[in-house]
Amino acid sequence: DDRLPVALTGESTIVSGVIGGLPAQRDDMLEFLFDVSGQDRERLNLPRRIRVRWYENPVTVRAGQVWSLPLRLQPPRGRVNFQGPDAERRYFARRIGALATVDKGSPILLDEGPRHSLQGWRNELKERLTRLLADEPAKGQVLALAIADRSLMRPEHWRVFSQTGTGHLLAISGLHIGFAGLLGYRIGWILLLPLGARLKMALGSLPGWTCALALASLYAALAGFAISTQRALVMLLVLAVAVLSARNPGPMLGWALALSAVTLVDPIAPLEPGYWLSFGAVLVLINVLSPRAGQAGAIRARLLTQLAIVLAMTPLGMFWFQRATGLGLLANLFAIPAVSVVIVPLVLLGMIALAMGWSSIASA
């Protein structure tokens, strides 16, 4: 129901709303999500969210700003493409009810928006990171891992990630949220060290899980609470509740509970490839690393895990993205540990330092 009526196709009208995410500059075109105001939704019969492209002389816009824009509207449709992504399904899964381009007219900035908002905070972090990393060749990758903004990624970098099958590492998803949770759990454990033995026993793992959920939620907020991060947070919450309630549901039941919870919270999630890739990867890991799979050395276990992931994910990748690479096994064998153990922690520490005003430490 939340789609542009066919009768409004090609219509040009003035629409007011809020910049709903980080704007992306692509060559001579500016692209952003536009959340239509409630008044205009009722008056003009418009959907809640529109993807807008601004081609001619775009001005600088920031997340959270309120604008009045002359828009030429189109339904959220894509070409029938049997060898590429399904654009219309992607729009539907991301709640985009219309497409639009900024038409001739006078765009008006109505309000700068609230000073303290999630999107405004992400926009400020993006600007500070962009200034801080102005001359760094890996600026696009850092922004992708820090705030889920991939608009500054260069085409040559995308080609490398595509050819090596490591592009999934740039999406803040279960891997990154899980590691943030692990880091938070360690912080909670460190906070327990000065306490007495009796108090430690009384608190148990509560401080660890509290810090884990807090840091994972903070990282998800940096990513704008994208669907993939919401899914990872629900999975982490299910695990925390199971452990803190002194229950041991087992890995398969825990996986099934998380799958059910995510699907109940977001019934449209199965339309996104990340839903199948993340739950599929976890299912593979459960079966490969389960006790009945036998004991294996660290190197052999890593090789078996990577081989199982590649064999299981390749058909899914071919279905969703119509491509696969033979370099994926070798590249991911080194890339996944490097990103999860080295790069993501450094990015998180850098973001914390930047938020506290320690720019020199953050740039280092």
Side-chain angles (χ1 to χ4, degrees):
D1 291 337
D2 193 36
R3 285 167 63 92
L4 182 75
V6 177
L8 295 180
T9 301
E11 290 290 322
S12 183
T13 185
I14 305 296
V15 183
S16 60
V18 180
I19 307 298
L22 295 178
Q25 184 71 48
R26 308 183 191 280
D27 297 328
D28 60 344
M29 179 266 293
L30 184 68
E31 181 178 290
F32 53 88
L33 296 176
F34 197 57
D35 295 330
V36 182
S37 66
Q39 182 178 358
D40 278 6
R41 286 205 306 269
E42 296 180 5
R43 180 175 63 88
L44 302 172
N45 194 20
L46 296 178
R48 293 176 180 271
R49 173 161 287 189
I50 301 175
R51 190 214 64 190
V52 177
R53 286 181 172 174
W54 196 335
Y55 287 97
E56 295 185 9
N57 303 316
V59 302
T60 300
V61 300
R62 290 169 51 89
Q65 287 180 333
V66 182
W67 282 83
S68 175
L69 298 174
L71 298 179
R72 184 170 296 277
L73 303 166
Q74 296 290 336
R77 294 175 177 169
R79 292 185 177 90
V80 177
N81 185 356
F82 298 102
Q83 296 182 353
D86 187 335
E88 188 164 348
R89 177 172 56 195
R90 185 173 65 247
Y91 295 142
F92 180 75
R94 298 178 183 179
R95 281 78 170 176
I96 295 174
L99 310 178
T101 55
V102 177
D103 208 357
K104 295 180 180 178
S106 300
I108 302 174
L109 175 61
L110 301 176
D111 191 353
E112 285 289 347
R115 293 186 58 187
H116 304 291
S117 67
L118 174 59
Q119 295 298 345
W121 179 47
R122 294 180 69 224
N123 210 125
E124 182 180 352
L125 284 174
K126 178 181 178 179
E127 292 175 354
R128 294 173 67 180
L129 280 172
T130 303
R131 291 193 300 269
L132 192 66
L133 305 173
D135 300 323
E136 294 293 333
K139 176 172 59 177
Q141 292 92 310
V142 173
L143 283 169
L145 289 172
I147 56 174
D149 181 80
R150 290 177 278 181
S151 61
L152 297 182
M153 288 285 296
R154 299 176 182 175
E156 57 268 25
H157 293 158
W158 279 122
R159 282 195 295 271
V160 172
F161 285 111
S162 177
Q163 292 168 0
T164 57
T166 54
H168 64 95
L169 295 174
L170 290 177
I172 298 179
S173 58
L175 175 68
H176 308 84
I177 298 298
F179 185 83
L182 178 61
L183 184 61
Y185 190 89
R186 294 298 185 189
I187 293 174
W189 180 78
I190 292 172
L191 293 176
L192 279 175
L193 291 179
L195 303 180
R198 182 174 297 179
L199 188 55
K200 287 182 184 179
M201 187 173 296
L203 293 174
S205 59
L206 180 60
W209 281 110
T210 302
C211 291
L213 290 170
L215 190 57
S217 299
L218 177 62
Y219 198 16
L222 287 174
F225 285 112
I227 298 299
S228 58
T229 63
Q230 295 177 28
R231 183 169 55 245
L233 277 178
V234 170
M235 294 175 70
L236 190 63
L237 180 61
V238 168
L239 179 60
V241 170
V243 173
L244 292 175
S245 61
R247 297 179 182 274
N248 184 16
M252 281 304 300
L253 182 55
W255 178 86
L257 287 172
L259 178 70
S260 302
V262 168
T263 309
L264 285 171
V265 170
D266 182 20
I268 303 178
L271 294 178
E272 290 275 30
Y275 176 89
W276 300 94
L277 294 173
S278 60
F279 279 111
V282 172
L283 183 61
V284 169
L285 291 174
I286 289 174
N287 284 277
V288 171
L289 301 177
S290 63
R292 67 175 179 270
Q295 299 295 323
I299 297 178
R300 186 186 174 198
R302 180 177 295 180
L303 288 172
L304 288 175
T305 301
Q306 292 292 340
L307 181 60
I309 288 288
V310 170
L311 291 178
M313 295 297 103
T314 296
L316 285 174
M318 293 175 68
F319 174 79
W320 285 103
F321 308 115
Q322 289 76 49
R323 63 174 180 265
T325 172
L327 293 175
L329 174 62
L330 184 61
N332 280 283
L333 184 64
F334 296 98
I336 291 178
V339 170
S340 60
V341 178
V342 180
I343 298 175
V344 169
L346 289 176
V347 169
L348 281 172
L349 292 173
M351 294 298 292
I352 293 172
L354 188 64
M356 298 183 71
W358 302 336
S359 299
S360 57
I361 297 177
S363 61

